[in-house]
Amino acid sequence: MPKIIERVTAVSQGMQTKVRSKNHELIIDEPPAMGGKDTGSNPLGTLLSALAGCENVIANMVAKEINFDLQSIEFDIRGEFDPRGLMGDPNVRPYFQKVTINAKVKTSESEERVQELQEKTDLRCPVYTTLKAANVDLVPNWVKA
C-alpha cells in the first residue's frame, strides 16, 4: 500500500490559529487568561479531541472486523500535565504526563468483548499509539454502557 500524506494548512493571528484540513476549518485558541479570545479549543484540548475521534473511527473499523455490535461510544478523556513545562521549565516536559480514557460502549456484547474491542482499537489508533510512543501514561477504562 502506498503511504498517505495527511496535510493541514494554518493561518495564525495572535493566539488564534485557523486550520484547514481538506474542506474543513478548525479554530484553535486559548482562553483570555492565556492571551487568547477563546474562539476555539486550546491545542491540548484539540489533541484530546483528536484522540476521541480516532478511537471512535478505529473502534468502528475493528467492530466490523470482529463482528461486534457497536451502537455508540461516549468518551470522557482527561489529560494531566504540569504547566511549568510549557512555561519554559526545561526540567518538566511540556505535554501530558497522563491521559485517562473513560469510554461507555453501547452494545449487546459482554464486558469481555468490550475489553477485546478496546485492546484491538488501542493497538491500531494512530493518536493513541503516538501518545504511547511519547511515554504518556495512558489509562483506558472502557465499560459497557
Side-chain angles (χ1 to χ4, degrees):
M1 247 174 117
K3 290 184 181 179
I4 296 174
I5 296 174
E6 192 68 31
R7 177 179 179 229
V8 300
T9 58
V11 176
S12 64
Q13 182 175 5
M15 289 290 200
Q16 183 190 76
T17 305
K18 290 185 180 180
V19 181
R20 293 221 41 94
S21 175
K22 298 181 175 88
N23 295 322
H24 307 281
E25 184 176 82
L26 170 68
I27 296 176
I28 301 171
D29 201 355
E30 288 288 344
M34 289 290 291
K37 295 182 180 171
D38 205 23
T39 59
S41 180
N42 69 24
L44 290 176
T46 303
L47 178 60
L48 295 180
S49 300
L51 176 59
C54 192
E55 289 266 287
N56 177 61
V57 168
I58 300 300
N60 274 275
M61 290 170 52
V62 170
K64 286 180 185 173
E65 293 169 7
I66 66 172
N67 198 27
F68 183 99
D69 173 35
L70 178 57
Q71 298 164 21
S72 66
I73 308 176
E74 197 174 297
F75 289 99
D76 179 357
I77 301 177
R78 297 165 191 237
E80 297 174 25
F81 72 101
D82 185 334
R84 293 176 300 166
L86 66 91
M87 299 306 273
D89 186 334
N91 299 311
V92 179
R93 68 183 194 192
Y95 57 93
F96 293 120
Q97 279 82 39
K98 180 179 180 181
V99 172
T100 303
I101 304 145
N102 295 306
K104 292 181 185 175
V105 181
K106 187 174 179 186
T107 183
S108 62
E109 304 281 353
S110 68
E111 284 287 349
E112 291 78 22
R113 288 274 285 163
V114 169
Q115 294 312 304
E116 177 187 5
L117 178 68
Q118 174 259 305
E119 290 167 8
K120 290 179 185 256
T121 297
D122 290 347
L123 286 173
R124 292 171 52 181
C125 174
V127 178
Y128 185 96
T129 55
T130 298
L131 290 169
K132 188 173 183 174
N135 202 29
V136 174
D137 180 17
L138 296 165
V139 182
N141 298 311
W142 288 39
V143 297
K144 183 175 176 174

